[in-house]
Amino acid sequence: MESTLQIIFGLLGGLAVFIFGMNMMSECLQKAAGEKMKSILALLTKNPLMGVLAGALTTAVLQSSSATTVMAIGFVSAGLMTLPQSISIILGANIGTTMTAQVIAFKISDYIFLFIFAGFAVSYIAKSEKAVNIGQTVFAFGLLFLGIETMGDVMKPLASSPFFLSVIDRVSGIPALGVLAGTVMTLVVQSSSATIAVLQNFAQQPGPDGVTSILGLAGAIPFLLGDNVGTTITALLASIGQAKDAKRTALAHCIFNLSGCLLFIWFVRPYAAFITWISPAGPQVEVISRQIANAHTMFNLVMTVIWTPLLPFMVKMVSRLVRESPKSLQLASDPLYLDSKLTAQPAAALHLAAQEVVRCSRMTGELLEDISGSILTEDGAALIPVLKKSDDVRTLNEHIMDYLAELFSAGSMSEEQTNEAAGMMYLMSDLDRMASLGREMTDSIGERLEHNYKYSKDAMKDLQKALCLVSDMYQESVLMVKNGDCERAGKIHKKKGKLYDISLHMRKEHMNRVSKGKCSAKLTKPFNRILNTLDRMANNCANIADAAAGQGLYGYFTV
């Protein structure tokens, strides 16, 4: 009983260390990749063939095909990626995830603690963030192998257990049971890489003869197929509540792995013989880990080659299985791009946040145009949609700020990404002020109508002209943020000076009209309030421009 508990606890502890190391390595790799992750994201939305490459690269960095799949689902749900592109990324992700098994197959038992010490030393001594991330990646790499070694050590007694040997013999003789066992293991652990690592370790245990594997390659392949089936559940769960194309992407991932399982399960022994032929020769217990890694890689390569030319057929299939559903009412203040499932992948999350910020900035620009158009209105009801748009901008602003706060609390961003997120927050604060000032301006217009204040035609035209100028300034400042065109800053400050001149002229003209009895003196206060609001709007536009020119915080807008 005591030895059984030691084996169970040893397996669980080793698995915990392995998963912790893998997750830590993923996080540190993302931070170390930095700007390169933006380049990979740019590949994601180009074309299906590039999508396969991008899917493989992203999975290599994230160390998880499930994470890449969830990212693709988030992008297609946000409308940033087409269904064929997302499916191609899934194909690439299945290739990328095989790299973990290939790395595990290397025999580095004698160097595990060297990796752990070297990684710790670099991360502890280094000053630059990039060096620290590289050190932590090496440290996590060592932990990953420490977990594998721990699992391998506690599995050794199992090789001499008659009961366990009989169970393994029965399961390996019925491929369907192996597939089921692999699927269940992956569902429990929620990581195909972890279950394949367990499989590789277990297969390395020698049988009674001390040379052949306790499981054998033909016995391991069904487990491997089950691992691939089990990993599709994560994608299906991630698609719950998402748009139809996101559900289709998850279904495509499921079809890819299920079809591969149904195809390969009939050729387990010939496939095992082929993998043995192309893999290094040697005693089975010495080479079976590499054989399993090669079987995993070859499975995904073959299925990718089969399905890539059949992408149009795959798209038609999943589109037919997941029908169009009645669209739910989408409020203007509801986020279109934000996906809380992606906060663990800051590069992707910031990309989505940038798209939402652009949308919010566009709504703010439309608000300014609407205010400019309503300045001459004599109908108070015409101001209601303008007030509603102001509220929508502010509500959307809150959603974006909360999402960025989630990213900060996740603690997975690099220093550069933290600056990007802080820059977006800075911009959102300016957009929120613009929306607030827009509401103040609309309220002032409403006050004029309510009290039947009558400004002269010249005053009304000047007000409209000033509002149009502010709107132009705002559009210029937003273009600076999106395009990084710092030369626009000078133009914006010139327009700000021009607005000051217009405002000064309007104040003088108003006082002239009051002195001549053409305007009531009681209009001075509300009139000055409108002009002050315009000045504050102009200052806000200049703030956005100065931040974009001086700090260059918004690189994700150009991805």
Side-chain angles (χ1 to χ4, degrees), residues 297-335:
T297 301
M298 187 59 66
F299 168 84
N300 285 289
L301 280 173
V302 169
M303 293 310 300
T304 300
V305 170
I306 290 173
W307 274 112
T308 299
L310 295 176
L311 268 180
F313 173 73
M314 174 79 86
V315 171
K316 286 182 181 178
M317 187 192 305
V318 296
S319 298
R320 183 163 292 183
L321 290 171
V322 180
R323 300 280 186 176
E324 294 278 358
S325 55
K327 291 185 178 180
S328 57
L329 182 64
Q330 179 81 36
L331 300 176
S333 57
D334 290 340

Side-chain angles (χ1 to χ4, degrees), residues 490-557:
K491 297 178 183 178
I492 291 169
H493 279 281
K494 283 182 181 178
K495 288 182 178 180
K496 181 184 173 184
K498 185 177 179 181
L499 183 71
Y500 174 80
D501 292 338
I502 292 173
S503 177
L504 188 62
H505 169 76
M506 289 169 69
R507 292 175 200 273
K508 288 179 179 178
E509 288 299 308
H510 174 72
M511 296 313 298
N512 285 334
R513 288 190 292 272
V514 169
S515 65
K516 295 176 181 178
K518 293 181 179 180
C519 270
S520 171
K522 66 181 180 180
L523 299 182
T524 302
K525 186 176 179 180
F527 188 73
N528 279 333
R529 188 158 56 241
I530 291 175
L531 295 179
N532 288 337
T533 303
L534 282 169
D535 288 339
R536 289 159 66 195
M537 283 181 167
N539 287 333
N540 218 50
C541 293
N543 285 343
I544 296 172
D546 289 341
Q551 300 177 50
L553 298 174
Y554 314 121
Y556 274 90
F557 293 104

Side-chain angles (χ1 to χ4, degrees), residues 159-273:
S160 58
S161 168
F163 171 76
F164 197 75
L165 286 172
S166 65
V167 171
I168 289 298
D169 185 59
R170 181 173 298 178
V171 172
S172 60
I174 307 174
L177 286 178
V179 172
L180 180 62
T183 302
V184 172
M185 284 174 63
T186 305
L187 284 175
V188 172
V189 179
Q190 284 292 294
S191 169
S192 61
S193 295
T195 50
I196 290 171
V198 172
L199 179 65
Q200 286 174 291
N201 263 274
F202 181 71
Q204 288 180 77
Q205 305 309 312
D209 61 3
V211 178
T212 58
S213 164
I214 189 176
L215 185 60
L217 183 58
I221 287 173
F223 284 91
L224 198 63
L225 299 177
D227 288 331
N228 282 281
V229 173
T231 195
T232 64
I233 306 301
T234 305
L236 291 173
L237 291 174
S239 70
I240 294 174
Q242 299 274 28
K244 62 182 185 305
D245 277 346
K247 293 176 180 176
R248 290 168 177 169
T249 300
L251 183 59
H253 186 220
C254 194
I255 289 172
F256 177 90
N257 284 301
L258 276 174
S259 63
C261 178
L262 291 173
L263 175 63
F264 277 73
I265 199 170
W266 301 103
F267 308 102
V268 170
R269 294 200 177 278
Y271 184 54

Side-chain angles (χ1 to χ4, degrees), residues 115-143:
F115 278 107
I116 291 174
F117 174 75
F120 169 78
V122 170
S123 62
Y124 188 76
I125 297 170
K127 301 298 182 184
S128 72
E129 187 193 23
K130 190 163 187 178
V132 169
N133 288 328
I134 292 172
Q136 288 179 345
T137 300
V138 175
F139 176 77
F141 182 75
L143 283 183

